[in-house]
Amino acid sequence: MPTSGAGFPDDALETVEITVDGLAMVRLLGPQDRLLKIIERQHPEVQLLVRGNEMTLTGHSHELRAAQRLVEELIQLVRNGADLGASDVTSSARILESNAGSPAELLSQAILTSRGKSIRPKTLGQKEYVDAIDQNTIVFGIGPAGTGKTYLAMAKAVQSLQRKEVERIILTRPAVEAGERLGFLPGTLTDKIDPYLRPLYDALNEMMDPEIVPKLLAAGTVEVAPLAYMRGRTLNNAFIVLDEAQNTTPEQMKMFLTRLGFGSKMVVTGDVTQVDLPVGASGLQLVTRVLGEIDDIHFSRLTSADVVRHTLVGEIVDAYTKYDAERQAAKYEREHAQDLRGNPDGANRAERRGTVPQDRQSPSHPDRRWGR
């Protein structure tokens, strides 16, 4: 019996032809067919051939239908104005695999369009994050680098200002050095804190006309300031974004959240795996336990599946997550082994420190200490 190159009987294979009209194929397949290669990796059992604007898919029924739907959803995404990237292909495949809906509908809703560039959620997790911002007063965006936490929050802030839903935007972050001692910085106070706030300025200039940004800053319509400037203020009719919140102390986090005024919305973003505080606990780690049950406060947790930077970033995040988990497990095993070696008869740690539990104290010596 004749067989295909994949080792399956030819009569078990099916073929589907898709004609792409009115679109430049490079928008669908990417330069040098980079996106086509990603589609093929998503469905390795299906053969894809492209001639002109004709795509031919060959494979077994179930895999063939899945690949066909993915291609059709990507075509619709392009028709809706999206500039496809590698993350769009992988995100669309995940959405279809989980039966979460139509990628073309979920990922086509642009938040902003600036200088011909559309800013929109590119993964299902990002879409849920953006929806949560619309539906809640305070939203925490927690996840690794590259998941668009701050970028999407700032896009929503600019959108709210343009729609006149708020009167001003306030962007803030703690001025904490990332594991380095920068020493004395010359210049005015503004010059000293500017390096810490530069990422926020960069994002603003991407989302708004660079000529308008200085005017908005001068008028106070847009304010970029370190977290220390927030104490004592009440922020009404504002969209407030706190970035790098993992570097706040619990006291700073409480201070910031209690600045919320009428008609305002807050978005707090951070990555709990990248804490740069020299000592003490992170306010972002604590707040998830303190405020987790309060209505109108939402916690969006993004993962490596939501990374929209280079594909290596997602793999790096997963590798570090695995390493941290293994290190924690090894630490637990060492402590458990030490407990057994130092306390073979099952005595607890209080006894090893010299304090005898009340239920094991001698009646004639109720306050007797061991090992003192």
Side-chain angles (χ1 to χ4, degrees):
M1 178 179 296
T3 59
S4 68
F8 297 106
D10 284 339
D11 56 5
L13 300 177
E14 300 179 18
T15 299
V16 170
E17 293 185 357
I18 300 175
T19 302
V20 184
D21 291 326
L23 291 179
M25 291 300 287
V26 68
R27 293 187 61 195
L28 176 65
L29 304 180
Q32 291 84 47
D33 291 341
R34 293 173 187 168
L35 300 184
L36 176 62
K37 295 173 184 176
I38 297 175
I39 297 172
E40 291 174 334
R41 285 201 297 269
Q42 295 295 323
H43 296 282
E45 300 298 326
V46 177
Q47 183 183 44
L48 283 79
L49 296 176
V50 180
R51 292 185 178 89
N53 66 337
E54 297 280 345
M55 296 185 67
T56 302
L57 286 70
T58 303
H60 292 290
S61 178
H62 178 72
E63 282 290 330
L64 179 64
R65 302 305 167 206
Q68 178 185 2
R69 188 178 178 196
L70 174 59
V71 171
E72 291 172 346
E73 289 288 344
L74 295 176
I75 292 172
Q76 190 58 47
L77 268 171
V78 176
R79 294 193 189 281
N80 291 346
D83 295 322
L84 287 187
S87 61
D88 295 295
V89 179
T90 54
S91 296
S92 297
R94 290 193 189 102
I95 292 171
L96 291 174
E97 185 177 352
S98 61
N99 295 318
S102 166
E105 295 179 4
L106 293 173
L107 305 181
S108 293
Q109 301 172 11
I111 302 172
L112 287 175
T113 300
S114 176
R115 288 174 283 176
K117 179 182 178 181
S118 176
I119 300 174
R120 58 185 174 83
K122 294 189 174 184
T123 69
L124 186 59
Q126 289 187 352
K127 178 64 168 59
E128 293 172 349
Y129 173 50
V130 169
D131 290 344
I133 293 174
D134 289 330
Q135 298 163 8
N136 297 272
T137 299
I138 300 178
V139 173
F140 290 84
I142 303 173
T147 51
K149 306 179 297 296
T150 304
Y151 199 73
L152 291 174
M154 292 184 65
K156 292 298 294 182
V158 173
Q159 181 192 59
S160 296
L161 184 66
Q162 292 177 345
R163 291 178 175 178
K164 302 187 183 303
E165 297 171 352
V166 296
E167 296 176 357
R168 55 182 173 156
I169 296 173
I170 299 175
L171 308 174
T172 183
R173 66 190 307 185
V176 177
E177 297 163 347
E180 300 177 69
R181 294 290 184 182
L182 300 181
F184 174 77
L185 296 177
T188 65
L189 179 61
T190 300
D191 295 331
K192 294 176 190 293
I193 63 176
D194 186 72
Y196 299 101
L197 305 175
R198 178 51 49 189
L200 301 181
Y201 286 111
D202 292 343
L204 268 180
N205 288 324
E206 285 187 33
M207 298 177 187
M208 307 177 76
D209 189 336
E211 296 179 357
I212 296 178
V213 172
K215 298 177 182 178
L216 296 177
L217 290 169
T221 304
V222 176
E223 179 182 350
V224 182
L227 181 60
Y229 285 16
M230 296 296 109
R231 185 172 293 281
R233 303 177 62 181
T234 300
L235 307 175
N236 294 317
N237 302 314
F239 197 113
I240 311 122
V241 178
L242 170 59
D243 187 31
E244 298 291 339
Q246 76 275 6
N247 289 330
T248 62
T249 65
E251 294 77 17
Q252 286 177 320
M253 180 64 74
K254 178 183 177 183
M255 178 275 291
F256 172 77
L257 294 174
T258 53
R259 302 307 95 199
L260 181 68
F262 295 106
S264 291
K265 186 182 290 285
M266 281 183 169
V267 180
V268 180
T269 69
D271 178 2
V272 293
T273 68
Q274 296 193 33
V275 177
D276 300 315
L277 292 172
V279 293
S282 165
L284 184 60
Q285 291 174 327
L286 178 64
V287 78
T288 58
R289 301 194 296 269
V290 175
L291 304 182
E293 303 299 324
I294 298 180
D295 292 337
D296 210 21
I297 296 178
H298 180 83
F299 290 87
S300 290
R301 289 178 169 82
L302 302 171
T303 68
S304 60
D306 300 303
V307 171
V308 292
R309 293 180 184 170
H310 194 286
T311 52
L312 278 177
V313 175
E315 296 181 24
I316 291 170
V317 169
D318 285 338
Y320 271 99
T321 301
K322 180 181 178 182
Y323 170 76
D324 289 340
E326 291 174 348
R327 187 174 62 174
Q328 289 294 329
K331 180 180 177 182
Y332 173 80
E333 290 178 0
R334 286 196 303 270
E335 292 179 349
H336 184 61
Q338 289 172 359
D339 287 346
L340 292 178
R341 287 196 301 268
N343 189 23
D345 61 348
N348 61 27
R349 293 192 177 191
E351 293 177 76
R352 298 205 306 279
R353 289 195 302 265
T355 304
V356 185
Q358 292 183 359
D359 61 350
R360 297 184 62 177
Q361 288 178 352
S362 169
S364 59
H365 301 283
D367 295 323
R368 183 178 178 181
R369 303 287 182 178
W370 291 5
R372 296 283 184 178

